[in-house]
Amino acid sequence: MKEAMIIGTAGFTAALSVLRLEENNLTPGQGSVLVTGATGGVGSFAVSILSKLGYSVEASTGKESEHGYLKEIGAATIVSREDVYDGKLRALGKQKWSGAVDPVGGEPLASVLSQIKYGGAVAVSGLTAGTSLPATVFPFILRGVNLLGIDSVNCPMDTRLKVWHRLATDFKLEHLEQLVQQEITIEELPDVLPTLLKGEARGRTIVKL
Ligand SMILES: NC(=O)c1ccc[n+]([C@@H]2O[C@H](COP(=O)([O-])OP(=O)(O)OC[C@H]3O[C@@H](n4cnc5c(N)ncnc54)[C@H](OP(=O)(O)O)[C@@H]3O)[C@@H](O)[C@H]2O)c1
C-alpha cells in the first residue's frame, strides 16, 4: 500500500507519459529526453523511469539545491528553467530533444515544442507554469512533432492496467523511497500544502493515516 501511495497519481501520470512517448516510437538511441519540473512528483518519476529504461535524461529544474537529488534518481544532465525557456518564444529553435515529459505547460511548453527533434513528441500533463500555450503550428507541420495529452482522471481501464503493469515490471524503481521527501500526519498538512503550491516541494510527500 505504501508503494502504491508513493507512486500515486504523479507516478501513474509519469508512467502514462512514457507509455505514450513509446507509442510515438521514442527509443533510447534517439538522443536525450527532456523532463520539465523535474524535482516535482511527476517530474521525479519521469526522470527515474526514463533513466531506468536506458534513456539519457535532461532534467530541467528551478532548484539549484536539488541537482544532487536529480543525479541520484537518474538525470544525465541538469539544466535550468531558463535553459528551456529564456523568456523569448521562437517559432522554431535548435533541435535538442527527441522527446519530453512536461508537467509544466504554459510558455515553457511552447518553447519545448520549438526545440523537439524531427518526429519527436511531448507528453503534456500539467500547468504549473500556466494554462495558455502561445505556440505556432511550425513544429507540427515542418518537423512532424506531436503533442500528446496525458489525463490520469478519466483514463480508460485497459490503459490503467497497462500502466500499472509496467510500474510493477520494467518501470519498477528500486529506489522508490528516494522519491519521498517526507512522511507527515494529516494534522501537519496545513503547514506543508503551501510549499507544494509554491512549487518548492521535492518528489512526494506521504500522509500517514
Ligand atoms: N494530467 C493529469 O492527469 C495530471 C496528473 C497529475 C498531476 N498533474 C498536473 O501536473 C503538474 C505537476 O504535478 P506534480 O504532482 O508533479 O506537482 P509538483 O510536485 O508540485 O511539481 C511541480 C514542479 O513544477 C516546477 N514548477 C513549479 N512552478 C513552476 C513555474 N512557474 N515554471 C516552471 N516550473 C515550475 C517545479 O519543479 P522544478 O523546481 O524542479 O522546476 C515543481 O516542483 C500539476 O499541474 C498537476 O496538476 C496532472
Side-chain angles (χ1 to χ4, degrees):
M1 275 176 72
K2 188 172 178 187
E3 269 183 33
M5 286 303 102
I6 295 173
I7 296 168
T9 306
F12 178 88
T13 302
L16 180 58
S17 302
V18 174
L19 199 82
R20 290 287 182 242
L21 288 170
E22 286 179 342
E23 287 167 2
N24 199 71
N25 301 319
L26 185 70
T27 56
Q30 295 163 356
S32 62
V33 176
L34 176 72
V35 175
T36 61
T39 67
V42 176
S44 292
F45 269 92
V47 169
S48 305
I49 293 169
L50 286 165
S51 146
K52 177 160 194 210
L53 296 177
Y55 288 89
S56 171
V57 180
E58 189 155 314
S60 152
T61 184
K63 300 185 187 83
E64 268 186 41
S65 58
E66 299 295 354
H67 286 200
Y69 164 75
L70 288 171
K71 285 265 180 206
E72 271 172 35
I73 65 169
T77 46
I78 297 163
V79 292
S80 68
R81 290 181 194 168
E82 291 71 31
D83 288 324
V84 171
Y85 172 49
D86 62 8
K88 218 170 135 193
L89 287 171
R90 297 162 187 85
L92 290 172
K94 190 164 175 259
Q95 298 186 44
K96 283 190 187 163
W97 306 292
S98 55
V101 174
D102 180 47
V104 163
E107 292 184 0
L109 170 57
S111 181
V112 170
L113 284 167
S114 74
Q115 298 174 80
I116 294 292
K117 287 185 183 173
Y118 193 95
V122 180
V124 57
S125 56
L127 42 75
T128 53
T131 54
S132 69
L133 179 56
T136 73
V137 296
F138 289 116
F140 308 108
I141 67 172
L142 295 181
R143 292 182 180 166
V145 167
N146 286 306
L147 184 54
L148 312 171
I150 303 299
D151 168 49
S152 63
V153 179
N154 292 305
C155 178
M157 186 52 80
D158 59 336
T159 308
R160 282 180 190 283
L161 290 172
K162 243 187 250 173
V163 171
W164 282 109
H165 177 70
R166 297 290 297 274
L167 280 163
T169 54
D170 62 328
F171 288 8
K172 193 171 168 70
L173 303 175
E174 285 87 42
H175 61 258
L176 206 53
E177 293 280 346
Q178 265 180 291
L179 304 192
V180 181
Q181 183 177 29
Q182 58 191 337
E183 209 168 296
I184 60 168
T185 61
I186 201 153
E187 289 74 29
E188 289 170 306
L189 263 182
D191 293 332
V192 173
L193 284 174
T195 54
L196 289 174
L197 292 173
K198 281 189 258 166
E200 290 169 358
R202 186 192 82 195
R204 303 277 294 154
T205 292
I206 299 299
V207 181
K208 200 170 164 61
L209 296 173

